[in-house]
Amino acid sequence: MARQLQEQLAARFPVGKRLRVLDVGLGQGMRALRLARAGHWVTVLERDRTRVLQARRALAAEPKGIRARMRIVEGDGRDTGVHFPPGGFDVVLCHGVLMHAEEPDPLLAGLARMLAPGGLLSLLVRNGDASALRPGLRGDWAAALSALGATARLPRPRTSPDEKVPAGPEAGARADRLADMTATLAGIGAPLRAWYGVRVFTDTAFADTAADDAEPPDDLEMLLAAEEQAGRTDPYRAVAALLHLCGVRG
């Protein structure tokens, strides 16, 4: 995922340019920190106060130059226009947020307005076109049938190999189809320019290593190499658990 984003940044912007980046949804905070450490100006918008406080404490331990380049704002991703002027960012990231939004279109339109001309919009969404595959591979036929019936809420995938996936209806998350997202991005003025599959193999490969004391697979390096290649190759990327979509503001 980090490599895919770096590839898109390198393709869209001059080498050495310090980019203005808006990251909507903090996650674990490492994505924003990596970008700040690389020399970019990063603003994080996060609505969860606990995460904001934790991130500010973590940022305080970073060198002065990185602290100066990274700003953490408490607020909702749907209210970007309240916090920032239109066209103020070269890159807008929204990874793992849309799956929790009941009405994603207004959020997406607001994110696109934050982009300067030629700016990159990077999204990570659930893949609604392959939602029955993983429950089917696990033998969870009820979930597979539900997904095949185009249900709107599906079990949430792992966001890292060591994360335990919660069960029950509270774990549900939206899923989006590639064709629908392509049309939406065109409609908000940030047409899709590239897309990748994320977690083609790793969800099932890490299924038996969710315990806290579990060892990573012996062939981890080869697994990650295969995952990286499959995420760029048809038809494999189309059955990934997640889709990484990259749109460019016209």
Side-chain angles (χ1 to χ4, degrees):
M1 184 68 193
R3 186 178 299 178
Q4 296 166 358
L5 178 59
Q6 186 58 43
E7 176 181 287
Q8 289 301 312
L9 296 180
R12 308 279 167 212
F13 302 103
V15 175
K17 180 178 179 179
R18 290 193 173 189
L19 302 172
R20 301 163 298 167
V21 180
L22 173 62
D23 191 356
V24 177
L26 184 64
Q28 301 301 314
M30 292 308 299
R31 178 177 59 247
L33 268 177
R34 279 196 299 267
L35 289 165
R37 288 167 179 166
H40 303 301
W41 301 93
V42 182
T43 300
V44 176
L45 183 62
E46 171 58 57
R47 69 179 182 179
D48 187 292
R49 175 160 294 185
T50 300
R51 286 190 175 185
V52 168
L53 294 175
Q54 290 173 343
R56 286 175 176 164
R57 285 194 294 269
L59 183 59
E62 293 289 322
K64 181 179 179 179
I66 295 174
R67 296 199 307 271
R69 290 193 298 272
M70 186 167 165
R71 179 167 65 126
I72 302 169
V73 178
E74 184 178 345
D76 196 297
R78 295 170 294 185
D79 300 327
T80 49
V82 174
H83 301 283
F84 315 111
F89 296 94
D90 303 302
V91 180
V92 173
L93 310 176
C94 185
H95 292 184
V97 174
L98 288 182
M99 61 186 69
H100 304 296
E102 294 290 344
E103 296 292 339
D105 287 358
L107 169 60
L108 284 169
L111 298 182
R113 284 193 292 270
M114 295 298 103
L115 285 171
L120 176 69
L121 177 60
S122 175
L123 308 172
L124 186 69
V125 303
R126 292 292 310 278
N127 183 8
D129 291 319
S131 55
L133 181 61
R134 278 148 191 85
L137 292 174
R138 294 194 306 268
D140 186 349
W141 308 119
L145 286 168
S146 179
L148 288 167
T151 182
R153 303 198 64 84
L154 307 165
R156 184 173 64 85
R158 289 186 177 88
T159 56
S160 64
D162 57 353
E163 179 185 352
K164 295 179 179 178
V165 180
E170 70 280 6
R174 286 186 58 262
D176 293 290
R177 298 184 183 277
L178 179 61
D180 295 337
M181 290 300 298
T182 300
T184 297
L185 290 172
I188 62 174
L192 184 69
R193 295 293 179 87
W195 68 278
Y196 307 86
V198 178
R199 297 195 187 116
V200 180
F201 301 131
T202 49
D203 271 1
T204 52
F206 285 116
D208 297 326
T209 61
D212 293 337
D213 58 350
E215 294 292 329
D218 293 336
D219 56 354
L220 178 60
E221 186 173 339
M222 291 185 66
L223 165 61
L224 295 179
E227 174 70 30
E228 173 74 15
Q229 187 62 34
R232 302 167 180 272
T233 305
D234 291 324
Y236 308 103
R237 62 177 179 167
V239 297
L242 307 173
L243 298 177
H244 179 196
L245 310 175
C246 300
V248 175
R249 182 75 173 176

